[in-house]
Amino acid sequence: MVQKEPGRRGRPRTHDPATALDAALGLFWQKGLEGASLDELATVMNMNRPSIYLAFGDKDTLYRAAVERFRAHLGVALNELDDCDDLATGLIRFFHGAIRLYTSGDDPKGCLIMCTAPAVALIHPTVRGDLFQIMKAIDAALLRRIKHAVDSGRLHGGVAPRTLAMTLQAILQSLALRSRAGESSASLRRFAKEAVVLCLPRSRGE
């Protein structure tokens, strides 16, 4: 009689969690939480339903994981703020990085977070909480960089930093919606650059 090796039970997992999550992200990005069915998720993830539940939990939990993964991608663009001494240059690079993410692929879909989460926020409290926390985190990153520019004399001290941070995030959200609606990358980049110039007070000594 052949005995199983100790510590090995059942069939080993044949899927790669990161690849499966990226596939789910793509479907959620296209159809949102409510529009993506479990059968469609199982197909694109190359997993059956029990395997999805075992690896990721229910559909809401899987969606939240996809949102967090997308947030990490957006964070790469957000890092541009800290890589530039000049605030305006950093903001333009940040917005341009976000535009590249929003318009990636054959069918630009905008921002997974801003284009899908608000639609279900009122009926999914956990998604609503995630959305609020993500917006607060972006506000905080922008605010930190704005305060640094003020303290270093690169930005006029009369600016209201918190309001400016929220306004800049509003531009980011507009870029997300416009890209999903089909506006061209060139138009979005031009809008982002001109919006930064419009929003930032002139530096001291200028």
Side-chain angles (χ1 to χ4, degrees):
M1 179 178 179
V2 179
Q3 295 182 345
K4 291 184 179 179
E5 294 179 19
R8 298 184 63 183
R9 296 182 177 178
R11 298 175 60 186
R13 291 190 303 180
T14 58
H15 69 276
D16 174 61
T19 301
L21 183 56
D22 281 339
L25 186 156
L27 187 63
F28 284 132
W29 200 353
Q30 178 184 11
K31 295 193 171 186
L33 173 57
E34 295 297 311
S37 71
L38 281 171
D39 286 339
E40 289 173 318
L41 286 164
T43 297
V44 299
M45 296 171 73
N46 195 28
M47 299 171 64
N48 57 36
R49 287 194 186 190
S51 296
I52 292 175
Y53 281 115
L54 182 63
F56 298 103
D58 61 15
K59 190 171 77 165
D60 288 7
T61 305
L62 176 60
Y63 172 79
R64 296 177 70 199
V67 165
E68 187 59 32
R69 192 163 181 82
F70 186 90
R71 178 182 179 180
H73 294 320
L74 187 60
V76 174
L78 194 57
N79 288 338
E80 294 284 356
L81 288 173
D82 295 323
D83 292 340
C84 294
D85 291 332
D86 179 66
L87 176 60
T89 301
L91 285 169
I92 291 171
R93 290 183 180 178
F94 164 50
F95 286 140
H96 285 190
I99 291 167
R100 284 193 297 272
L101 178 60
Y102 295 165
T103 58
S104 60
D106 296 331
D107 184 23
K109 295 180 287 293
C111 175
L112 168 69
I113 301 167
M114 297 304 170
C115 294
T116 67
V120 295
L122 294 182
I123 57 176
H124 292 273
T126 52
V127 173
R128 182 180 185 179
D130 290 343
L131 175 62
F132 181 73
Q133 291 304 318
I134 290 169
M135 293 176 66
K136 296 293 287 184
I138 295 173
D139 278 345
L142 291 166
L143 180 60
R144 182 182 67 250
R145 191 62 186 82
I146 291 166
K147 286 183 175 180
H148 174 73
V150 171
D151 293 342
S152 63
R154 294 174 178 270
L155 189 63
H156 193 279
V159 69
R162 184 172 181 274
T163 300
L164 178 56
M166 295 173 71
T167 301
L168 291 169
Q169 182 168 178
I171 294 171
L172 180 67
Q173 294 168 5
S174 180
L175 291 170
L177 293 174
R178 288 176 177 275
S179 59
R180 193 171 180 94
E183 190 160 343
S184 71
S185 296
S187 176
L188 294 172
R189 288 193 297 269
R190 184 168 56 252
F191 165 60
K193 183 176 181 179
E194 293 175 353
V196 169
V197 173
L198 184 65
C199 285
L200 294 188
R202 298 179 68 85
S203 301
R204 295 171 186 167
E206 292 187 344

